[in-house]
Every structure is written in C-alpha cells, then in structure tokens.
Amino acid sequence: IAIIMSLFIDFYPLLKQVMTDSGNEQKLVSAIRSYGNKGVFSIIGLQALQAIVVFVPSALVPILAGLTYGVLWGSIMSLVGFALGNTVIFLGVKQFRKTVEWFFPTRLKESKKKQAWLDFAKIETMKRPEIFVFFSYLVPGVPNGLLPYVFAQSTIRLPKFIGRLTLASVPFTIMWTWLGDSVLKKNYTLIAIIVALFVLIFLISLI
C-alpha cells in the first residue's frame, strides 16, 4: 500500500497533465523530456500507476512513451511499468489482503464473481493457470484492471504470472508506442494502418 501511495503522490501531477494535454503531443513530449534522465522513470512510474488505478485509458501511457522515446525504448518502459504495477497489486493481495480490501473493496468482490469470460472456481482448479493468464492479457476487451486481483487469489506464482502477462502485452504495447511514434513524425498513412489493425483485431476478438 505504501508503494501505491508513493506512486500516486509522485506521479499523479504528471498523470493529470498527461490527461489534460492528451491532444497536444508536443507539450506532452516537452513535459516528459523536461525531467531529463528521470523521464525514463516517469514513463515507468506512470505506466505502473495506470495499472494500479485503472481509471486512466490503458493506451495513453504507451502512446506517450512512443511519442517521447520511440517504439523500442517506449515499449520496454511501458512493459516494465505495467509489470511493476501488476506486481504491486499481486503481492498486495497475497500478503496484505485486508488492507487492499479496505482501499479497493469493489475490486476484490468483482474478482470473485462469475462472469462470461471468467470463472474463478475453474481458475483455482487449473493445472496450468499461466496459460489462461497469457490469453486473458492477450485478448482485447478483457478488463486488465481486474485480472491481477483474480490471479493473486489463485495458485499461480508471481514469476509465472508476470512472465505471461508481459509476454501477452508485447504485441499491443508495440502497436500503441508505434502509433505514438507515428503521430510525432506525422506519418498519417502509418497511423491509419495501425488504427485499422486495432479495429480489425477488436472485431475478430468479438467473434
């Protein structure tokens, strides 16, 4: 909980600016770069905070990372931050369940509910729940903000959980950072292609 509060206090002002100036890419890039070498940790911290508080659109930070640091480094920073945020939640639920329940009561309640895409009782009996972790994070439309609370209450261990979610997050993270990089370079043809790919993937996931 202390880590969550620290992330929130340190990065909320920047996060608020990112959300406010989301339509002004040059201003956002300047804001991140004004941190100097700390800009790298700002991106990682923002992504970790996004994974924890979830009210921020999941694509916002990777796009910003792509705008500021390009596809390769932007993707790496986003993946590290996303893994960090999910690790904090996972360990928090495992080790300090009552405290987490006090801060995020609805998350733990929702994680136990049977939904169309998820049955907690079945996850508990799975021999290899890490496979389900991989596809849960890979398929668009699944509420990622709920998943760490679900899997933290299962038998899966942290290394397998983080490994699978990171691997599953690679394709979309690269696409989002690629979109950010393309916006900065004003490559509108590439932007249209990436957006079309997102729409196509989303439509396929609904079938």
Side-chain angles (χ1 to χ4, degrees):
I1 297 301
I3 295 174
I4 295 175
M5 295 303 296
S6 177
L7 283 169
F8 190 82
I9 293 170
D10 289 343
F11 294 107
Y12 179 73
L14 180 58
L15 184 61
K16 185 177 180 181
Q17 181 178 357
V18 168
M19 295 181 68
T20 303
D21 299 324
S22 58
N24 189 335
E25 61 269 14
Q26 291 293 345
K27 191 173 182 178
L28 289 176
V29 170
S30 297
I32 296 296
R33 288 180 177 171
S34 68
Y35 283 78
N37 293 332
K38 292 181 180 179
V40 173
F41 298 102
S42 297
I43 292 292
I44 294 173
L46 282 175
Q47 186 65 78
L49 186 60
Q50 184 279 323
I52 294 169
V53 299
V54 304
F55 62 79
V56 182
S58 59
L60 188 58
V61 180
I63 290 175
L64 178 61
L67 276 167
T68 312
Y69 293 103
V71 179
L72 176 60
W73 290 110
S75 297
I76 292 173
M77 292 174 203
S78 292
L79 289 169
V80 169
F82 190 61
L84 175 61
N86 278 273
T87 298
V88 170
I89 297 172
F90 188 93
L91 291 178
V93 174
K94 284 280 192 186
Q95 304 296 327
F96 310 102
R97 182 184 175 117
K98 290 185 178 179
T99 307
V100 171
E101 193 167 10
W102 189 80
F103 277 91
F104 305 102
T106 58
R107 289 286 166 185
L108 283 173
K109 288 180 181 177
E110 289 175 6
S111 69
K112 286 286 190 178
K113 290 180 180 178
K114 183 177 180 180
Q115 303 182 43
W117 57 275
L118 175 67
D119 185 343
F120 182 79
K122 290 183 178 179
I123 294 176
E124 286 188 310
T125 60
M126 287 180 181
K127 292 183 178 180
R128 299 190 63 187
E130 64 270 16
I131 296 176
F132 189 69
V133 171
F134 177 82
F135 286 104
S136 295
Y137 280 93
L138 181 67
V139 176
V142 176
N144 289 349
L146 187 61
L147 293 177
Y149 294 90
V150 174
F151 291 114
Q153 299 173 78
S154 71
T155 58
I156 190 170
R157 295 184 178 277
L158 178 63
K160 287 187 177 182
F161 171 68
I162 294 301
R164 298 310 186 277
L165 80 84
T166 302
L167 186 62
S169 301
V170 168
F172 275 97
T173 299
I174 291 176
M175 290 180 73
W176 285 127
T177 54
W178 196 12
L179 179 61
D181 185 59
S182 300
V183 168
L184 185 65
K185 295 175 180 177
K186 301 187 185 303
N187 190 337
Y188 299 113
T189 301
L190 190 54
I191 291 171
I193 292 172
I194 295 172
V195 171
L197 280 173
F198 275 119
V199 173
L200 180 61
I201 293 170
F202 179 75
L203 291 175
I204 291 174
S205 70
L206 296 178
I207 299 175

